[in-house]
Amino acid sequence: MTTTPAAVAATVLRPPRHRVERRAIAWWTTRTLLVAVPAAAAPAAAAAVVPEFAQPPATLVTALWLAAAALSTAGLAVAGAMPLWRFRVHRWEVTDTAVYTAAGWLWQEWRVAPMSRIQTVDTHRGPLQRVFGLADVTVTTASAAGPITVEGLDSGQAEQVAAELTEATERTEGDAT
Amino acid sequence: MNPQATASGGAGWQHLNPLTAWALPLLLTVILVPSAVVAAVAAGAHGDFWPWGVLMLAGAPLLAGAAALAEYVRWRRTRYRATGERMETRSGVLVAEHRSVPRDRIRSVDVSVEIWLRPLGLCKVTVGTGQSTGSGSDELVLAYVTRTEGERLRRELLLRGSQVAAADGAPATAEAGRAHAGTAGAARELARLRPVWFGFAPVSAATPLLGAAAVGAVYNVISWFGQERANDAAAAVSERLAALPLLAVPATAAVLLTGAVAATAVQVETWWGYRLEREPDGTLRLRRGLITNTALSLEERRLRGVELREPLLLRWARGARVRAVATGLGSEAGKGGAVPRSALSPDMPRARALRLSAAVAGEAEPPVAVPLRAHPRAALRRRVTRALAAAGAVAALAAGLAAAPAALPQAQRLPWAPEQVWPAAGTAAAVAGVAAAALLLLPWAVAAYRGLGHALAPGYLVMRKGAFSRSTVALRRDGIIGWRISRSPFQRRAGLATVAATTAAGRGRYSADDVELGAGLRLADEAVADLLGQFLAAPGAQRPTGAEAADSPGTAEGGEGADRGDRKGSRGDPAVSAGGPAGG
């Protein structure tokens, strides 16, 4: 390597070309709230209901209210920040030779798999995703280190991408290991 | 002896060896009958021959008989066949199971002879495949066939000639050019056991564990004669130690010595008769084992690299061990055995291990020995920060635990603890935590940083990591089937990234942790041509394949570049409506 440190530092991954569906923001928000609201409501409900039937120590009730406050604050913060942030990061691209995705928000990950090593292409639509008309496309290789997933595509578009990927993969030979 | 073909849905189906039905019952008889007799005699001497002694004498044959029946049914229901294209097994007593594996997916054949199978001339054949075959496991097990049949299967399943290899894509073509042409006809020995290597056994991590286990076993044996007695003995020992602390030195030495002897015994059992050979049909053949003879055959075209393992103590003793990075050998953990199936050598001198790794890889120079590039100082800072945070957490926890009782209302305080003790104890605990940090965590941080390294060797990507168990992996570049680059918030601040190469072999992913982002990306780009390059961007020198306006972060700070470019490119992206993959 004869490159100068400055030149090395300048090399970056450019983001993949396509963003995911904008509806994914609503999907991620809903998904977060579906977890956060019950998590915060449970201690709050306990703190409100238990003194009606028993005499718990005052510290316990205070602790429950504090827990409810902390959980709802954290849940709201995540629900407010995460979906937009995630939407800015999540992107995907398929070239003639490779599949390339970016995902995550605080912890971010870029994955690349060569077209010739793709083994299976699946689409997946959970119940919540169906509400928003979204789907995931999952591309697996022979590696045990996990597949490449594009979350939050339009379901029609996902089918199309999966079909095109499958066709492209079938053109390559070998057992892709 | 040789199993005959039976007519059950197609030709060529074979039963396991009929002796299979007798192997387990025989073992049970050998173990149970003498112990039942001894127990019955003991019961008779005690005056309880009726009914306990009779029960035991009758129970042993009953158990063996039940086992014989179960094994007979299993033998009746289990069939296998190896046709030109597939290896198939049918089994299952209640639920019929049919497993079928394409022959070209068979990665390894493992023939093992446990000691109780030896007089019967039987062996167990484990066929490793690269794919799950229905019920989750990635291997087919034939228990048991004759030794000759096992040997025949081992040869036949892996010997498929060159027509399969030719159709297998890049790794196979690279394999074709490898230098074992001169070995046609005879197997070439790569390594053979030298008993002096067992000298490395006591410095394994197993020594203290086995020593502690021995102490536990002694306690257990004493408690057979009454829990009271065992507790008394333990109390006596601890009293003696408290009175004479210097006794701890010989006591510890004795425990460690016991552990060392046990560790050596385990090594001898596992690696006795160790031989690693390269066979003319392009397989590596590993034989080892004193009580359980194991012969593992591994196709060389399934080999994606070699790994050099140097656990801390072994490293200090200038030893190392060699592992294969191969598809179809299962994941990291061995199944029940003392060593994983990917182990290619016992602990041996480092220089010898390096030579062996070169021989296994088919190279003149060991790829794991190339000079490695160190990772940036920021990686060291991250490890030191982690060590200090852990030490701080320990100290805070200790201090908190010590201080908590003082905060309790007077009524709830423990009566036996004088109040003045707590603050003193808290201070002492905090000091101890900080001292532990200085003595253990900081050296760990430095060792972990010094363990980091990466380099490109001809044909290989070499990555090293680990403080306690240092592992150097030389991964064949044509075995890399993808990249994963991940960055935590802290890594982004420090301009670092974890660059992981995914592969079908071994752990599935081998990573260079905390490399400088640009250097890591260039490493990945150079390691595999025409893969990552199309997604890289350098400000001022854009590649023609670059996306629209996505890559112009006008800063030399690589850590910020990716994020900023991301945000910029996100506005007015026409690709959302494009509806499909974009051409390159």
PDB file of all heavy atoms in Angstrom, chain A residues 12 14 17-19 88 94 106-108 110 112 117 143 145 164, chain B residues 481 483-485 487-488 492 508 535 537 566 570 573 575 581-582:
ATOM      1  N   VAL A  12     -14.819   6.090   1.106  1.00  0.00           N
ATOM      2  CA  VAL A  12     -16.046   5.809   1.859  1.00  0.00           C
ATOM      3  C   VAL A  12     -16.942   4.933   1.009  1.00  0.00           C
ATOM      4  O   VAL A  12     -16.755   4.791  -0.193  1.00  0.00           O
ATOM      5  CB  VAL A  12     -16.804   7.099   2.222  1.00  0.00           C
ATOM      6  CG1 VAL A  12     -16.014   7.927   3.189  1.00  0.00           C
ATOM      7  CG2 VAL A  12     -17.141   7.883   0.969  1.00  0.00           C
ATOM      8  N   ARG A  14     -20.324   4.630  -0.700  1.00  0.00           N
ATOM      9  CA  ARG A  14     -21.436   5.500  -1.063  1.00  0.00           C
ATOM     10  C   ARG A  14     -22.727   4.776  -0.705  1.00  0.00           C
ATOM     11  O   ARG A  14     -22.767   3.541  -0.683  1.00  0.00           O
ATOM     12  CB  ARG A  14     -21.391   5.826  -2.541  1.00  0.00           C
ATOM     13  CG  ARG A  14     -21.658   4.640  -3.431  1.00  0.00           C
ATOM     14  CD  ARG A  14     -21.880   5.106  -4.849  1.00  0.00           C
ATOM     15  NE  ARG A  14     -22.022   3.970  -5.740  1.00  0.00           N
ATOM     16  CZ  ARG A  14     -23.129   3.255  -5.850  1.00  0.00           C
ATOM     17  NH1 ARG A  14     -24.155   3.533  -5.086  1.00  0.00           N
ATOM     18  NH2 ARG A  14     -23.186   2.232  -6.687  1.00  0.00           N
ATOM     19  N   ARG A  17     -28.404   3.008  -3.932  1.00  0.00           N
ATOM     20  CA  ARG A  17     -29.155   3.974  -4.721  1.00  0.00           C
ATOM     21  C   ARG A  17     -30.593   4.189  -4.281  1.00  0.00           C
ATOM     22  O   ARG A  17     -31.093   5.286  -4.315  1.00  0.00           O
ATOM     23  CB  ARG A  17     -29.169   3.516  -6.162  1.00  0.00           C
ATOM     24  CG  ARG A  17     -28.242   4.372  -6.958  1.00  0.00           C
ATOM     25  CD  ARG A  17     -28.214   3.892  -8.362  1.00  0.00           C
ATOM     26  NE  ARG A  17     -26.817   3.839  -8.739  1.00  0.00           N
ATOM     27  CZ  ARG A  17     -26.405   3.627  -9.952  1.00  0.00           C
ATOM     28  NH1 ARG A  17     -27.276   3.414 -10.899  1.00  0.00           N
ATOM     29  NH2 ARG A  17     -25.129   3.611 -10.211  1.00  0.00           N
ATOM     30  N   HIS A  18     -31.268   3.120  -3.902  1.00  0.00           N
ATOM     31  CA  HIS A  18     -32.706   3.266  -3.674  1.00  0.00           C
ATOM     32  C   HIS A  18     -33.015   3.346  -2.195  1.00  0.00           C
ATOM     33  O   HIS A  18     -32.449   2.619  -1.393  1.00  0.00           O
ATOM     34  CB  HIS A  18     -33.459   2.068  -4.265  1.00  0.00           C
ATOM     35  CG  HIS A  18     -33.061   1.785  -5.678  1.00  0.00           C
ATOM     36  ND1 HIS A  18     -33.198   2.712  -6.663  1.00  0.00           N
ATOM     37  CD2 HIS A  18     -32.502   0.693  -6.235  1.00  0.00           C
ATOM     38  CE1 HIS A  18     -32.759   2.206  -7.790  1.00  0.00           C
ATOM     39  NE2 HIS A  18     -32.312   0.976  -7.555  1.00  0.00           N
ATOM     40  N   ARG A  19     -33.983   4.213  -1.868  1.00  0.00           N
ATOM     41  CA  ARG A  19     -34.441   4.202  -0.491  1.00  0.00           C
ATOM     42  C   ARG A  19     -35.632   3.258  -0.385  1.00  0.00           C
ATOM     43  O   ARG A  19     -36.221   2.861  -1.387  1.00  0.00           O
ATOM     44  CB  ARG A  19     -34.842   5.577  -0.005  1.00  0.00           C
ATOM     45  CG  ARG A  19     -35.139   6.571  -1.048  1.00  0.00           C
ATOM     46  CD  ARG A  19     -35.204   7.908  -0.389  1.00  0.00           C
ATOM     47  NE  ARG A  19     -34.128   7.994   0.587  1.00  0.00           N
ATOM     48  CZ  ARG A  19     -34.061   8.945   1.500  1.00  0.00           C
ATOM     49  NH1 ARG A  19     -34.985   9.850   1.573  1.00  0.00           N
ATOM     50  NH2 ARG A  19     -33.080   8.963   2.359  1.00  0.00           N
ATOM     51  N   ARG A  88     -33.508   7.374   6.890  1.00  0.00           N
ATOM     52  CA  ARG A  88     -32.390   8.015   6.223  1.00  0.00           C
ATOM     53  C   ARG A  88     -31.276   7.018   5.919  1.00  0.00           C
ATOM     54  O   ARG A  88     -30.526   7.178   4.960  1.00  0.00           O
ATOM     55  CB  ARG A  88     -31.844   9.131   7.111  1.00  0.00           C
ATOM     56  CG  ARG A  88     -32.676  10.383   7.060  1.00  0.00           C
ATOM     57  CD  ARG A  88     -31.788  11.599   7.120  1.00  0.00           C
ATOM     58  NE  ARG A  88     -31.009  11.637   8.341  1.00  0.00           N
ATOM     59  CZ  ARG A  88     -31.352  12.368   9.394  1.00  0.00           C
ATOM     60  NH1 ARG A  88     -32.433  13.089   9.369  1.00  0.00           N
ATOM     61  NH2 ARG A  88     -30.594  12.375  10.460  1.00  0.00           N
ATOM     62  N   VAL A  94     -29.378  -3.062  -6.374  1.00  0.00           N
ATOM     63  CA  VAL A  94     -29.019  -4.308  -7.045  1.00  0.00           C
ATOM     64  C   VAL A  94     -28.318  -3.949  -8.334  1.00  0.00           C
ATOM     65  O   VAL A  94     -28.880  -3.230  -9.159  1.00  0.00           O
ATOM     66  CB  VAL A  94     -30.268  -5.163  -7.349  1.00  0.00           C
ATOM     67  CG1 VAL A  94     -29.862  -6.429  -8.091  1.00  0.00           C
ATOM     68  CG2 VAL A  94     -30.987  -5.526  -6.069  1.00  0.00           C
ATOM     69  N   LEU A 106     -28.659   3.567  15.043  1.00  0.00           N
ATOM     70  CA  LEU A 106     -27.480   3.853  15.869  1.00  0.00           C
ATOM     71  C   LEU A 106     -26.330   2.950  15.418  1.00  0.00           C
ATOM     72  O   LEU A 106     -25.243   3.405  15.110  1.00  0.00           O
ATOM     73  CB  LEU A 106     -27.802   3.613  17.345  1.00  0.00           C
ATOM     74  CG  LEU A 106     -28.528   4.741  18.064  1.00  0.00           C
ATOM     75  CD1 LEU A 106     -28.963   4.285  19.450  1.00  0.00           C
ATOM     76  CD2 LEU A 106     -27.641   5.960  18.176  1.00  0.00           C
ATOM     77  N   TRP A 107     -26.590   1.672  15.401  1.00  0.00           N
ATOM     78  CA  TRP A 107     -25.619   0.718  14.871  1.00  0.00           C
ATOM     79  C   TRP A 107     -25.948   0.498  13.403  1.00  0.00           C
ATOM     80  O   TRP A 107     -27.060   0.050  13.084  1.00  0.00           O
ATOM     81  CB  TRP A 107     -25.694  -0.590  15.649  1.00  0.00           C
ATOM     82  CG  TRP A 107     -24.845  -0.579  16.862  1.00  0.00           C
ATOM     83  CD1 TRP A 107     -23.597  -1.131  16.997  1.00  0.00           C
ATOM     84  CD2 TRP A 107     -25.148   0.001  18.142  1.00  0.00           C
ATOM     85  NE1 TRP A 107     -23.109  -0.906  18.268  1.00  0.00           N
ATOM     86  CE2 TRP A 107     -24.026  -0.211  18.980  1.00  0.00           C
ATOM     87  CE3 TRP A 107     -26.226   0.711  18.639  1.00  0.00           C
ATOM     88  CZ2 TRP A 107     -23.982   0.238  20.297  1.00  0.00           C
ATOM     89  CZ3 TRP A 107     -26.179   1.169  19.945  1.00  0.00           C
ATOM     90  CH2 TRP A 107     -25.067   0.929  20.756  1.00  0.00           C
ATOM     91  N   GLN A 108     -25.025   0.814  12.541  1.00  0.00           N
ATOM     92  CA  GLN A 108     -25.333   0.748  11.114  1.00  0.00           C
ATOM     93  C   GLN A 108     -24.514  -0.345  10.457  1.00  0.00           C
ATOM     94  O   GLN A 108     -23.407  -0.656  10.885  1.00  0.00           O
ATOM     95  CB  GLN A 108     -25.040   2.098  10.460  1.00  0.00           C
ATOM     96  CG  GLN A 108     -25.899   3.203  11.058  1.00  0.00           C
ATOM     97  CD  GLN A 108     -25.584   4.561  10.486  1.00  0.00           C
ATOM     98  OE1 GLN A 108     -24.679   4.706   9.665  1.00  0.00           O
ATOM     99  NE2 GLN A 108     -26.321   5.557  10.932  1.00  0.00           N
ATOM    100  N   TRP A 110     -23.567  -2.212   6.540  1.00  0.00           N
ATOM    101  CA  TRP A 110     -23.641  -2.277   5.088  1.00  0.00           C
ATOM    102  C   TRP A 110     -23.330  -3.708   4.680  1.00  0.00           C
ATOM    103  O   TRP A 110     -22.323  -4.274   5.142  1.00  0.00           O
ATOM    104  CB  TRP A 110     -22.609  -1.343   4.457  1.00  0.00           C
ATOM    105  CG  TRP A 110     -22.889   0.104   4.681  1.00  0.00           C
ATOM    106  CD1 TRP A 110     -23.462   0.953   3.798  1.00  0.00           C
ATOM    107  CD2 TRP A 110     -22.617   0.879   5.851  1.00  0.00           C
ATOM    108  NE1 TRP A 110     -23.570   2.203   4.345  1.00  0.00           N
ATOM    109  CE2 TRP A 110     -23.063   2.187   5.605  1.00  0.00           C
ATOM    110  CE3 TRP A 110     -22.053   0.584   7.112  1.00  0.00           C
ATOM    111  CZ2 TRP A 110     -22.954   3.194   6.543  1.00  0.00           C
ATOM    112  CZ3 TRP A 110     -21.945   1.592   8.039  1.00  0.00           C
ATOM    113  CH2 TRP A 110     -22.395   2.887   7.752  1.00  0.00           C
ATOM    114  N   VAL A 112     -22.878  -6.576   1.457  1.00  0.00           N
ATOM    115  CA  VAL A 112     -22.704  -6.789   0.024  1.00  0.00           C
ATOM    116  C   VAL A 112     -22.625  -8.283  -0.226  1.00  0.00           C
ATOM    117  O   VAL A 112     -21.919  -8.996   0.489  1.00  0.00           O
ATOM    118  CB  VAL A 112     -21.403  -6.128  -0.477  1.00  0.00           C
ATOM    119  CG1 VAL A 112     -21.247  -6.378  -1.968  1.00  0.00           C
ATOM    120  CG2 VAL A 112     -21.398  -4.651  -0.189  1.00  0.00           C
ATOM    121  N   ARG A 117     -23.205 -15.730  -5.726  1.00  0.00           N
ATOM    122  CA  ARG A 117     -23.197 -16.555  -4.518  1.00  0.00           C
ATOM    123  C   ARG A 117     -24.559 -16.581  -3.828  1.00  0.00           C
ATOM    124  O   ARG A 117     -24.680 -17.071  -2.715  1.00  0.00           O
ATOM    125  CB  ARG A 117     -22.142 -16.039  -3.535  1.00  0.00           C
ATOM    126  CG  ARG A 117     -20.742 -16.003  -4.099  1.00  0.00           C
ATOM    127  CD  ARG A 117     -20.294 -17.381  -4.512  1.00  0.00           C
ATOM    128  NE  ARG A 117     -18.980 -17.380  -5.102  1.00  0.00           N
ATOM    129  CZ  ARG A 117     -17.856 -17.521  -4.405  1.00  0.00           C
ATOM    130  NH1 ARG A 117     -17.896 -17.652  -3.124  1.00  0.00           N
ATOM    131  NH2 ARG A 117     -16.692 -17.536  -5.019  1.00  0.00           N
ATOM    132  N   SER A 143     -23.307 -18.537   3.533  1.00  0.00           N
ATOM    133  CA  SER A 143     -22.644 -18.218   4.789  1.00  0.00           C
ATOM    134  C   SER A 143     -23.584 -18.366   5.965  1.00  0.00           C
ATOM    135  O   SER A 143     -24.765 -18.050   5.870  1.00  0.00           O
ATOM    136  CB  SER A 143     -22.122 -16.789   4.750  1.00  0.00           C
ATOM    137  OG  SER A 143     -21.725 -16.401   6.035  1.00  0.00           O
ATOM    138  N   ALA A 145     -23.380 -16.530   8.399  1.00  0.00           N
ATOM    139  CA  ALA A 145     -23.365 -15.233   9.073  1.00  0.00           C
ATOM    140  C   ALA A 145     -24.606 -14.408   8.807  1.00  0.00           C
ATOM    141  O   ALA A 145     -24.645 -13.254   9.129  1.00  0.00           O
ATOM    142  CB  ALA A 145     -22.133 -14.446   8.652  1.00  0.00           C
ATOM    143  N   GLU A 164     -36.792 -10.783 -10.164  1.00  0.00           N
ATOM    144  CA  GLU A 164     -35.612 -10.450 -10.973  1.00  0.00           C
ATOM    145  C   GLU A 164     -34.346 -11.037 -10.388  1.00  0.00           C
ATOM    146  O   GLU A 164     -33.477 -11.524 -11.107  1.00  0.00           O
ATOM    147  CB  GLU A 164     -35.494  -8.927 -11.093  1.00  0.00           C
ATOM    148  CG  GLU A 164     -36.475  -8.359 -12.100  1.00  0.00           C
ATOM    149  CD  GLU A 164     -36.495  -6.835 -12.060  1.00  0.00           C
ATOM    150  OE1 GLU A 164     -35.414  -6.244 -11.886  1.00  0.00           O
ATOM    151  OE2 GLU A 164     -37.584  -6.262 -12.192  1.00  0.00           O
TER     152      GLU A 164
ATOM    153  N   ILE B 481     -17.734 -14.754   0.219  1.00  0.00           N
ATOM    154  CA  ILE B 481     -18.985 -14.633  -0.530  1.00  0.00           C
ATOM    155  C   ILE B 481     -19.800 -13.436  -0.065  1.00  0.00           C
ATOM    156  O   ILE B 481     -21.024 -13.452  -0.131  1.00  0.00           O
ATOM    157  CB  ILE B 481     -19.812 -15.924  -0.427  1.00  0.00           C
ATOM    158  CG1 ILE B 481     -20.181 -16.222   1.015  1.00  0.00           C
ATOM    159  CG2 ILE B 481     -19.074 -17.091  -1.013  1.00  0.00           C
ATOM    160  CD1 ILE B 481     -21.136 -17.374   1.127  1.00  0.00           C
ATOM    161  N   TRP B 483     -19.607  -9.192   2.028  1.00  0.00           N
ATOM    162  CA  TRP B 483     -18.995  -8.325   3.033  1.00  0.00           C
ATOM    163  C   TRP B 483     -20.055  -7.774   3.946  1.00  0.00           C
ATOM    164  O   TRP B 483     -21.187  -7.529   3.519  1.00  0.00           O
ATOM    165  CB  TRP B 483     -18.260  -7.151   2.363  1.00  0.00           C
ATOM    166  CG  TRP B 483     -17.093  -7.575   1.552  1.00  0.00           C
ATOM    167  CD1 TRP B 483     -17.059  -7.695   0.197  1.00  0.00           C
ATOM    168  CD2 TRP B 483     -15.808  -7.952   2.036  1.00  0.00           C
ATOM    169  NE1 TRP B 483     -15.817  -8.124  -0.190  1.00  0.00           N
ATOM    170  CE2 TRP B 483     -15.033  -8.287   0.902  1.00  0.00           C
ATOM    171  CE3 TRP B 483     -15.233  -8.036   3.309  1.00  0.00           C
ATOM    172  CZ2 TRP B 483     -13.711  -8.701   1.014  1.00  0.00           C
ATOM    173  CZ3 TRP B 483     -13.926  -8.454   3.411  1.00  0.00           C
ATOM    174  CH2 TRP B 483     -13.184  -8.777   2.281  1.00  0.00           C
ATOM    175  N   ARG B 484     -19.691  -7.584   5.175  1.00  0.00           N
ATOM    176  CA  ARG B 484     -20.543  -6.865   6.120  1.00  0.00           C
ATOM    177  C   ARG B 484     -19.688  -5.821   6.795  1.00  0.00           C
ATOM    178  O   ARG B 484     -18.729  -6.161   7.482  1.00  0.00           O
ATOM    179  CB  ARG B 484     -21.086  -7.822   7.181  1.00  0.00           C
ATOM    180  CG  ARG B 484     -22.394  -8.447   6.792  1.00  0.00           C
ATOM    181  CD  ARG B 484     -22.695  -9.577   7.694  1.00  0.00           C
ATOM    182  NE  ARG B 484     -23.188  -9.116   8.985  1.00  0.00           N
ATOM    183  CZ  ARG B 484     -23.844  -9.901   9.814  1.00  0.00           C
ATOM    184  NH1 ARG B 484     -24.059 -11.155   9.513  1.00  0.00           N
ATOM    185  NH2 ARG B 484     -24.273  -9.448  10.962  1.00  0.00           N
ATOM    186  N   ILE B 485     -20.024  -4.593   6.600  1.00  0.00           N
ATOM    187  CA  ILE B 485     -19.286  -3.512   7.248  1.00  0.00           C
ATOM    188  C   ILE B 485     -20.214  -2.898   8.272  1.00  0.00           C
ATOM    189  O   ILE B 485     -21.313  -2.446   7.930  1.00  0.00           O
ATOM    190  CB  ILE B 485     -18.835  -2.456   6.226  1.00  0.00           C
ATOM    191  CG1 ILE B 485     -17.805  -3.061   5.287  1.00  0.00           C
ATOM    192  CG2 ILE B 485     -18.229  -1.253   6.920  1.00  0.00           C
ATOM    193  CD1 ILE B 485     -18.285  -3.281   3.913  1.00  0.00           C
ATOM    194  N   ARG B 487     -20.767  -0.358  11.839  1.00  0.00           N
ATOM    195  CA  ARG B 487     -20.197   0.741  12.611  1.00  0.00           C
ATOM    196  C   ARG B 487     -21.144   1.077  13.747  1.00  0.00           C
ATOM    197  O   ARG B 487     -22.318   1.392  13.520  1.00  0.00           O
ATOM    198  CB  ARG B 487     -20.007   1.974  11.734  1.00  0.00           C
ATOM    199  CG  ARG B 487     -19.263   1.700  10.452  1.00  0.00           C
ATOM    200  CD  ARG B 487     -18.994   2.982   9.710  1.00  0.00           C
ATOM    201  NE  ARG B 487     -17.881   3.689  10.313  1.00  0.00           N
ATOM    202  CZ  ARG B 487     -17.583   4.959  10.036  1.00  0.00           C
ATOM    203  NH1 ARG B 487     -18.335   5.646   9.220  1.00  0.00           N
ATOM    204  NH2 ARG B 487     -16.547   5.531  10.605  1.00  0.00           N
ATOM    205  N   SER B 488     -20.631   1.057  14.947  1.00  0.00           N
ATOM    206  CA  SER B 488     -21.414   1.499  16.085  1.00  0.00           C
ATOM    207  C   SER B 488     -21.291   3.017  16.166  1.00  0.00           C
ATOM    208  O   SER B 488     -20.430   3.604  15.514  1.00  0.00           O
ATOM    209  CB  SER B 488     -20.893   0.844  17.358  1.00  0.00           C
ATOM    210  OG  SER B 488     -19.664   1.426  17.710  1.00  0.00           O
ATOM    211  N   ARG B 492     -18.211   5.256  14.684  1.00  0.00           N
ATOM    212  CA  ARG B 492     -18.357   6.358  13.733  1.00  0.00           C
ATOM    213  C   ARG B 492     -17.628   7.584  14.235  1.00  0.00           C
ATOM    214  O   ARG B 492     -16.967   8.284  13.476  1.00  0.00           O
ATOM    215  CB  ARG B 492     -19.835   6.663  13.522  1.00  0.00           C
ATOM    216  CG  ARG B 492     -20.542   5.606  12.720  1.00  0.00           C
ATOM    217  CD  ARG B 492     -21.744   6.154  11.987  1.00  0.00           C
ATOM    218  NE  ARG B 492     -22.818   6.561  12.885  1.00  0.00           N
ATOM    219  CZ  ARG B 492     -23.705   5.704  13.392  1.00  0.00           C
ATOM    220  NH1 ARG B 492     -23.640   4.431  13.110  1.00  0.00           N
ATOM    221  NH2 ARG B 492     -24.662   6.138  14.179  1.00  0.00           N
ATOM    222  N   GLY B 508     -18.522 -18.701   9.435  1.00  0.00           N
ATOM    223  CA  GLY B 508     -19.419 -18.009   8.525  1.00  0.00           C
ATOM    224  C   GLY B 508     -19.041 -16.562   8.308  1.00  0.00           C
ATOM    225  O   GLY B 508     -19.463 -15.954   7.345  1.00  0.00           O
ATOM    226  N   PHE B 535     -19.141   0.182  -5.106  1.00  0.00           N
ATOM    227  CA  PHE B 535     -19.896   0.956  -4.126  1.00  0.00           C
ATOM    228  C   PHE B 535     -19.013   1.929  -3.352  1.00  0.00           C
ATOM    229  O   PHE B 535     -19.462   2.559  -2.410  1.00  0.00           O
ATOM    230  CB  PHE B 535     -20.609   0.013  -3.140  1.00  0.00           C
ATOM    231  CG  PHE B 535     -21.457  -1.012  -3.824  1.00  0.00           C
ATOM    232  CD1 PHE B 535     -21.203  -2.357  -3.649  1.00  0.00           C
ATOM    233  CD2 PHE B 535     -22.502  -0.633  -4.650  1.00  0.00           C
ATOM    234  CE1 PHE B 535     -21.983  -3.311  -4.283  1.00  0.00           C
ATOM    235  CE2 PHE B 535     -23.279  -1.576  -5.292  1.00  0.00           C
ATOM    236  CZ  PHE B 535     -23.020  -2.917  -5.104  1.00  0.00           C
ATOM    237  N   ALA B 537     -16.549   5.242  -2.892  1.00  0.00           N
ATOM    238  CA  ALA B 537     -16.470   6.582  -3.440  1.00  0.00           C
ATOM    239  C   ALA B 537     -15.348   7.321  -2.749  1.00  0.00           C
ATOM    240  O   ALA B 537     -15.153   7.189  -1.552  1.00  0.00           O
ATOM    241  CB  ALA B 537     -17.784   7.316  -3.224  1.00  0.00           C
ATOM    242  N   ASP B 566     -25.204  10.181   2.710  1.00  0.00           N
ATOM    243  CA  ASP B 566     -26.490   9.522   2.818  1.00  0.00           C
ATOM    244  C   ASP B 566     -27.616  10.551   2.880  1.00  0.00           C
ATOM    245  O   ASP B 566     -28.581  10.488   2.145  1.00  0.00           O
ATOM    246  CB  ASP B 566     -26.472   8.690   4.106  1.00  0.00           C
ATOM    247  CG  ASP B 566     -27.681   7.807   4.201  1.00  0.00           C
ATOM    248  OD1 ASP B 566     -28.411   7.728   3.202  1.00  0.00           O
ATOM    249  OD2 ASP B 566     -27.863   7.190   5.251  1.00  0.00           O
ATOM    250  N   SER B 570     -30.496  11.606  -0.072  1.00  0.00           N
ATOM    251  CA  SER B 570     -31.841  11.177   0.251  1.00  0.00           C
ATOM    252  C   SER B 570     -32.882  12.123  -0.333  1.00  0.00           C
ATOM    253  O   SER B 570     -34.030  11.774  -0.444  1.00  0.00           O
ATOM    254  CB  SER B 570     -32.018  11.094   1.758  1.00  0.00           C
ATOM    255  OG  SER B 570     -32.027  12.389   2.295  1.00  0.00           O
ATOM    256  N   ASP B 573     -34.761  11.589  -4.444  1.00  0.00           N
ATOM    257  CA  ASP B 573     -34.222  10.382  -5.058  1.00  0.00           C
ATOM    258  C   ASP B 573     -35.243   9.820  -6.038  1.00  0.00           C
ATOM    259  O   ASP B 573     -36.352   9.465  -5.641  1.00  0.00           O
ATOM    260  CB  ASP B 573     -33.927   9.360  -3.961  1.00  0.00           C
ATOM    261  CG  ASP B 573     -33.216   8.157  -4.519  1.00  0.00           C
ATOM    262  OD1 ASP B 573     -33.090   8.038  -5.738  1.00  0.00           O
ATOM    263  OD2 ASP B 573     -32.791   7.331  -3.711  1.00  0.00           O
ATOM    264  N   ALA B 575     -35.197   7.063  -7.483  1.00  0.00           N
ATOM    265  CA  ALA B 575     -35.160   5.614  -7.605  1.00  0.00           C
ATOM    266  C   ALA B 575     -36.378   4.934  -6.999  1.00  0.00           C
ATOM    267  O   ALA B 575     -36.673   3.802  -7.316  1.00  0.00           O
ATOM    268  CB  ALA B 575     -33.907   5.082  -6.933  1.00  0.00           C
ATOM    269  N   PRO B 581     -34.441  -3.270  -9.838  1.00  0.00           N
ATOM    270  CA  PRO B 581     -33.009  -3.132  -9.659  1.00  0.00           C
ATOM    271  C   PRO B 581     -32.441  -2.247 -10.755  1.00  0.00           C
ATOM    272  O   PRO B 581     -32.851  -2.338 -11.907  1.00  0.00           O
ATOM    273  CB  PRO B 581     -32.489  -4.559  -9.803  1.00  0.00           C
ATOM    274  CG  PRO B 581     -33.673  -5.446  -9.799  1.00  0.00           C
ATOM    275  CD  PRO B 581     -34.849  -4.626 -10.183  1.00  0.00           C
ATOM    276  N   ALA B 582     -31.516  -1.436 -10.360  1.00  0.00           N
ATOM    277  CA  ALA B 582     -30.883  -0.572 -11.340  1.00  0.00           C
ATOM    278  C   ALA B 582     -29.728  -1.287 -11.984  1.00  0.00           C
ATOM    279  O   ALA B 582     -28.984  -1.998 -11.326  1.00  0.00           O
ATOM    280  CB  ALA B 582     -30.396   0.699 -10.655  1.00  0.00           C
TER     281      ALA B 582
END
